[in-house]
Amino acid sequence: MSKDAGRVAERSRTIDSVKVALLGCGVVGTQVVRLLREQSEELAARVGAPIELAGIAVRRPQRHPDVPAELLTTDAAGLVARPDVDVVVELMGGIEPARDLLLDALKNDRSVVSANKALLAEEGEALATAARESGADLYYEASVAGAIPLLRPIQQSLAGDRIRRVAGIVNGTTNFILSAMESTGAGYADALEEAGRLGYAEADPTADVDGYDAASKAAILASLAFHTRVTASDVHREGIRDVTATDIASAKALGCSVKLLAICEQVDGDAGSTVSARVYPAMIPKAHPLASVSGAFNAVFVEADAAGPLMFYGQGAGGPQTASAVLGDLVAAARNRVIGGRGPRDTAYAHLSVQPMGEVRTRYHVNVDVHDRAGVLAAVASVFAEHGVSIATVKQEGGREAESPDADDAGHGGDAGTDATLVVVTHEAPDAALRATVDALSGLDSVRGVASVLRVEGLGRPVHALGGAQ
Amino acid sequence: MSKDAGRVAERSRTIDSVKVALLGCGVVGTQVVRLLREQSEELAARVGAPIELAGIAVRRPQRHPDVPAELLTTDAAGLVARPDVDVVVELMGGIEPARDLLLDALKNDRSVVSANKALLAEEGEALATAARESGADLYYEASVAGAIPLLRPIQQSLAGDRIRRVAGIVNGTTNFILSAMESTGAGYADALEEAGRLGYAEADPTADVDGYDAASKAAILASLAFHTRVTASDVHREGIRDVTATDIASAKALGCSVKLLAICEQVDGDAGSTVSARVYPAMIPKAHPLASVSGAFNAVFVEADAAGPLMFYGQGAGGPQTASAVLGDLVAAARNRVIGGRGPRDTAYAHLSVQPMGEVRTRYHVNVDVHDRAGVLAAVASVFAEHGVSIATVKQEGGREAESPDADDAGHGGDAGTDATLVVVTHEAPDAALRATVDALSGLDSVRGVASVLRVEGLGRPVHALGGAQ
């Protein structure tokens, strides 16, 4: 401790301005440069000294005509190593070279501000260790939910509470696609194309639509909320590619919307606590506040023992929005340099193991296409019962009236009887039991196929816990 | 700076545990004591050293059987002055003796955590100056919106942005009363009585229903958001005592709810920027997210240039909820003692003057009881026009059919013609012009009286700015 404090004291004597190395200057970086320039006086008043850009590392300097040419460099490592740099702001994305650059920066007592969710989710521990050892700051508010202040509230405002659950919509691209599917009835492919045309989806949408982006964010949120270490590979991940227009219509019929949710929970069991972190599309009731979060907006619920339910809402992406979060961190890091101090430190003392997805208790909505003949419901129901899964509601659609448009589809048995669909919503059960139930259903003679499986969230605790929001 | 940093270094060498003096032990204090005990291990891990209660100052020790008797004292000043105290947590409320105690604490380099909105709104400058001069921390997250992390996001997460507007529901008692009036059709007095019976209103509800509580919070929010100094007396304040069941019904008819709003804005004008802070009941469209915040919940919108609109939602009062916010601050203050560092400092550099309420641009909903005879609408409309107030919509209720139940009331002129009500909603205009219009209406021959006047918010910018939330 005395070593740390001594270093703080020494450092703060020597700083008249805070020099910033910016790594990467794309959509967010350009906005950071603009806001630093436009707000230079306010920022200096808030920090206690001016913030100056020492340099900007980019791959192709000729592509940045709006940035002062003398600041541009292709030598990121050289920029980070410059002795006059106080804070490194990393907006490159990806694991390398960002990882090595930031570890070098932290080891040399440069504070780091990063918006790199993939890196933080993967190498959070190494970065936190490097920061702790040198006494430098490590901030990454912009890595999750864009402009929404979320990590600071979780890490600092709720530092005296026990967080139980963090759940929300943390990926704007998938939320845009699902909102479009719901409002227009479009299929996934058409909605994705529209998202791309409007700039809400990248040319390669994999990171978003397959849930990698949300999984990284879930890992970061779970790590901070539960004072443990969760990496992206610990997060159960399902994307939205397989969500069909029929799924959305089924959800609508039940008064639900389909959202890609990131859910982090601390689960207390007989053998101690574990942590569950998972990303999947799920139906939520339209009355749930998350159901009305549409387009590129993000919203996250945090539930803590004493605080109760909290919601944070805002824009989860975009250049100025993400730059706002980056600059908030930069002001904090710069202020610590000037006044003496330290940002929040890693508190991953809990060492929780990850609950296997099979043990996670969740609910399923299952559309089972069946041959509408005597005993089919009993046969289906007993498969659920055999696996210990309790059925909450079951509804038959089609049937005697043979409404099903694909009633004449080939290859499904060919027994007598018209076709119908059983719409089953289960109570909470371990995910493994639900999976096994669905697998077993496919093997029934009277079942033509399991048409769709979607999880259901927000029917139980979360909504009730909310109280105020209708 | 070097003096500060040196003090930080010196202080951090001597701390093995963080000793806390608790001033006041009511609903919130009891929860703070409980949570400190129940979470002692986690808190020690987060802080880097155990947090220990040095003493608890109360007025009547015999009333606190659940608290260790050896900690109780009636000598608050003596407790604060004890040399082993590191952090003073003030939950007494009111201006004195809290003010003197906290100034003494800060001057002697004790960090302060306070939930005292009245004190912060009134004496924020004196407290901030004392904290700055000694280098001690001053945190007060719990003073506004209970459990909702709001001050830390405004002060720290948005430190690199320009906040334009903070608006929301920050008083649970009035929100409970207005929600009850809306859902049951009850009048103000009945709803207040129910709130008292259920523990949502105090025996003397003045601070809540007359808007003093919300005005203190608005002063704190405006000061932090706009880096200036706003006191409670700078806040235009109207309570909910005069809101009638008819007002609520009128709002419903327009698709609106009535909410007590606290609104803080930075207004850029030709002669520079000013700040407006005001508290009043207003109609907001039911589609606005604030309209669905019911019961004792709070919700606050923050709009910043780069971040865009943000919403924070949660429980604004209650023992455990407020204690959660207190403990978050306590962990931060304790951690700074142990690791060396400093919480955010006062940045009231902007010195904005307060915009007079008469210049604030707002909208009115006015019910004008008139004699339903030829020319009455023209007469009323020309009064609006004379004052430069543009009418958005006007609707006549009653009239030829004489539906008004008080059509035979005495004392209103006695001219020929049945009675009717004109429901007028204006466009934005300076509040002084709207006030003058309402005054002038009362003087018209054809007007029996102005039955109700309510402001309308959220029809313009705020809702549009929201985008995602429907």
Side-chain angles (χ1 to χ4, degrees):
Chain A
M1 285 176 227
S2 62
K3 196 184 73 175
D4 282 358
R7 190 185 292 118
V8 166
E10 186 188 335
R11 201 160 60 192
S12 67
R13 270 190 212 103
T14 61
I15 291 183
D16 298 316
S17 73
V18 179
K19 298 229 166 44
V20 175
L22 182 59
L23 310 182
C25 196
V27 175
V28 177
T30 307
Q31 293 297 320
V32 168
V33 172
R34 175 181 71 83
L35 290 167
L36 280 176
R37 194 174 50 223
E38 288 179 8
Q39 303 184 131
S40 59
E41 281 181 38
E42 290 118 296
L43 295 178
R46 295 172 198 173
V47 167
I51 296 179
E52 284 176 25
L53 271 174
I56 305 172
V58 295
R59 269 182 294 184
R60 298 183 196 81
Q62 66 278 14
R63 290 207 183 172
H64 302 273
D66 296 339
V67 175
E70 69 275 16
L71 290 179
L72 292 170
T73 173
T74 55
D75 180 13
L79 176 60
V80 168
R82 264 173 54 175
D84 62 335
V85 165
D86 298 296
V87 184
V88 174
V89 174
E90 185 265 313
L91 304 172
M92 313 170 87
I95 304 297
E96 291 293 357
R99 178 182 165 278
D100 283 351
L101 289 167
L102 295 191
L103 285 174
D104 279 351
L106 291 167
K107 283 173 186 160
N108 290 305
D109 194 28
R110 273 81 174 135
S111 293
V112 163
V113 173
S114 174
N116 190 332
K117 61 210 131 218
L119 179 62
L120 265 301
E122 180 108 6
E123 298 286 350
E125 183 163 13
L127 292 166
T129 302
R132 191 173 53 241
E133 286 176 357
S134 74
D137 281 342
L138 171 63
Y139 287 103
Y140 44 99
E141 179 69 75
S143 66
V144 180
I148 307 174
L150 186 60
L151 304 192
R152 195 170 265 106
I154 286 176
Q155 195 173 21
Q156 298 185 46
S157 306
L158 292 164
D161 208 335
R162 282 181 182 141
I163 297 176
R164 294 299 176 174
R165 185 178 161 98
V166 179
I169 296 165
V170 295
N171 181 274
T173 302
T174 50
N175 203 49
F176 180 90
I177 292 171
L178 293 171
S179 296
M181 290 174 73
E182 181 172 324
S183 63
T184 67
Y188 167 77
D190 289 344
L192 171 63
E193 197 189 307
E194 195 200 349
R197 205 168 46 237
L198 296 174
Y200 289 112
E202 300 190 36
D204 176 1
T206 305
D208 292 313
V209 300
D210 289 336
Y212 290 99
D213 173 89
S216 291
K217 292 165 177 170
I220 293 169
L221 290 169
S223 298
L224 290 177
F226 309 126
H227 304 274
T228 189
R229 188 62 65 190
V230 175
T231 65
S233 59
D234 295 326
V235 181
H236 175 85
R237 179 184 51 74
E238 299 170 31
I240 65 161
R241 275 187 209 269
D242 298 332
V243 176
T244 64
T246 309
D247 291 332
I248 305 275
S250 295
K252 251 188 182 168
L254 281 176
C256 287
S257 291
V258 178
K259 297 290 184 188
L260 184 72
L261 300 181
I263 300 175
C264 312
E265 284 175 322
Q266 180 166 336
V267 185
D268 295 335
D270 295 338
S273 294
T274 56
V275 58
S276 165
R278 49 200 204 260
V279 169
Y280 45 65
M283 295 184 180
I284 51 174
K286 280 197 193 294
H288 193 289
L290 287 179
S292 58
V293 175
S294 62
F297 275 73
N298 283 192
V300 176
F301 272 88
V302 179
E303 290 178 47
D305 275 357
L310 302 165
M311 185 170 92
F312 303 82
Y313 170 89
Q315 281 166 276
Q321 292 83 0
T322 308
S324 172
V326 169
L327 281 179
D329 281 353
L330 176 53
V331 166
R335 191 183 143 281
N336 289 341
R337 292 273 153 170
V338 173
I339 295 174
R342 173 84 45 76
R345 293 221 260 183
D346 187 40
T347 55
Y349 56 80
H351 305 293
L352 302 179
S353 61
V354 174
Q355 187 185 37
M357 187 61 201
E359 295 175 13
V360 172
R361 294 182 67 80
T362 167
R363 303 179 65 164
Y364 273 23
H365 169 278
V366 191
N367 281 354
V368 193
D369 289 340
V370 297
H371 301 291
D372 183 23
R373 55 192 182 196
V376 61
L377 178 55
V380 165
S382 58
V383 168
F384 280 89
E386 281 158 22
H387 291 87
V389 175
S390 172
I391 291 175
T393 62
V394 59
K395 205 179 83 176
Q396 177 168 333
E397 288 175 356
R400 303 294 169 199
E401 298 81 16
E403 289 174 356
S404 171
D406 53 359
D408 296 323
D409 271 10
H412 285 298
D415 281 317
T418 53
D419 298 326
T421 297
L422 295 179
V423 180
V424 180
V425 179
T426 74
H427 284 299
E428 256 189 23
D431 197 71
L434 290 159
R435 283 262 159 232
T437 305
V438 170
D439 288 347
L441 285 175
S442 308
L444 281 189
D445 267 359
S446 48
V447 167
R448 298 171 57 241
V450 176
S452 92
V453 179
L454 264 182
R455 290 194 180 76
V456 183
E457 293 281 344
L459 289 177
R461 289 159 306 160
V463 166
H464 290 198
L466 251 190
Q470 295 296 331
Chain B
M1 284 176 227
S2 61
K3 196 185 72 176
D4 284 356
R7 190 185 292 118
V8 165
E10 186 188 335
R11 199 161 59 191
S12 67
R13 270 190 210 101
T14 61
I15 291 183
D16 298 315
S17 73
V18 180
K19 298 230 166 42
V20 176
L22 182 60
L23 309 183
C25 195
V27 175
V28 178
T30 306
Q31 294 297 321
V32 168
V33 173
R34 175 181 71 83
L35 291 168
L36 280 175
R37 195 173 49 223
E38 289 179 6
Q39 302 185 132
S40 59
E41 282 182 37
E42 291 118 296
L43 295 178
R46 295 172 198 173
V47 167
I51 296 179
E52 284 176 26
L53 270 174
I56 306 172
V58 296
R59 268 182 293 184
R60 299 183 196 81
Q62 64 278 15
R63 290 208 183 171
H64 302 273
D66 297 338
V67 175
E70 69 275 15
L71 290 179
L72 292 170
T73 174
T74 55
D75 179 12
L79 176 60
V80 168
R82 264 173 54 175
D84 61 334
V85 165
D86 298 295
V87 184
V88 174
V89 174
E90 185 266 311
L91 305 171
M92 314 170 86
I95 303 297
E96 290 294 357
R99 177 183 165 279
D100 282 352
L101 290 167
L102 295 191
L103 286 174
D104 279 351
L106 290 167
K107 282 173 186 161
N108 289 305
D109 194 27
R110 274 81 174 133
S111 293
V112 163
V113 173
S114 174
N116 190 332
K117 62 212 130 216
L119 180 63
L120 265 301
E122 181 106 7
E123 297 287 348
E125 183 162 13
L127 293 166
T129 302
R132 190 172 54 240
E133 285 177 356
S134 74
D137 282 341
L138 171 63
Y139 287 103
Y140 44 99
E141 178 69 75
S143 66
V144 181
I148 307 174
L150 186 59
L151 303 193
R152 195 170 264 105
I154 286 175
Q155 195 173 21
Q156 298 184 46
S157 306
L158 293 164
D161 208 335
R162 281 180 182 143
I163 298 175
R164 294 299 176 174
R165 184 178 163 98
V166 179
I169 297 165
V170 296
N171 181 274
T173 302
T174 49
N175 203 49
F176 179 91
I177 293 170
L178 293 171
S179 296
M181 289 174 73
E182 181 172 326
S183 64
T184 67
Y188 167 76
D190 290 342
L192 171 62
E193 197 190 308
E194 194 200 350
R197 206 168 46 236
L198 296 174
Y200 289 113
E202 299 189 37
D204 176 0
T206 305
D208 293 314
V209 300
D210 289 338
Y212 290 99
D213 173 89
S216 290
K217 292 165 177 171
I220 294 170
L221 290 170
S223 297
L224 289 177
F226 309 126
H227 304 273
T228 188
R229 189 62 64 190
V230 176
T231 65
S233 58
D234 295 326
V235 181
H236 174 85
R237 179 185 51 73
E238 299 172 31
I240 65 161
R241 275 188 209 268
D242 298 333
V243 176
T244 63
T246 310
D247 289 333
I248 305 275
S250 294
K252 252 188 183 167
L254 280 177
C256 288
S257 292
V258 178
K259 298 289 183 188
L260 183 71
L261 300 181
I263 300 174
C264 312
E265 285 175 323
Q266 180 166 336
V267 186
D268 295 335
D270 295 338
S273 294
T274 56
V275 58
S276 164
R278 48 198 204 263
V279 169
Y280 45 64
M283 296 184 180
I284 51 173
K286 280 197 193 293
H288 193 288
L290 288 179
S292 58
V293 176
S294 63
F297 275 72
N298 283 191
V300 176
F301 272 88
V302 179
E303 291 177 47
D305 275 358
L310 301 165
M311 185 171 90
F312 303 82
Y313 170 90
Q315 282 166 276
Q321 293 82 0
T322 309
S324 171
V326 169
L327 282 179
D329 282 354
L330 176 53
V331 166
R335 191 184 144 281
N336 289 341
R337 291 274 154 170
V338 173
I339 296 175
R342 174 83 45 76
R345 293 220 263 184
D346 187 42
T347 55
Y349 55 79
H351 304 293
L352 302 179
S353 61
V354 174
Q355 187 184 37
M357 187 61 201
E359 295 175 13
V360 172
R361 295 182 66 80
T362 167
R363 303 179 66 165
Y364 272 23
H365 168 279
V366 190
N367 281 355
V368 192
D369 289 340
V370 297
H371 302 290
D372 183 26
R373 55 192 185 196
V376 61
L377 178 56
V380 165
S382 58
V383 168
F384 280 88
E386 280 159 21
H387 291 87
V389 176
S390 172
I391 291 175
T393 62
V394 59
K395 206 178 83 178
Q396 177 168 335
E397 287 174 358
R400 302 295 170 200
E401 299 80 16
E403 290 174 354
S404 172
D406 54 359
D408 296 324
D409 272 8
H412 286 297
D415 279 319
T418 54
D419 298 326
T421 299
L422 294 178
V423 180
V424 180
V425 179
T426 74
H427 284 298
E428 256 187 25
D431 197 71
L434 289 159
R435 282 264 158 231
T437 305
V438 170
D439 288 347
L441 285 174
S442 308
L444 280 190
D445 268 358
S446 49
V447 167
R448 297 172 57 241
V450 175
S452 92
V453 179
L454 265 182
R455 291 195 180 76
V456 183
E457 292 281 345
L459 289 176
R461 289 159 306 159
V463 166
H464 289 197
L466 252 191
Q470 292 299 326

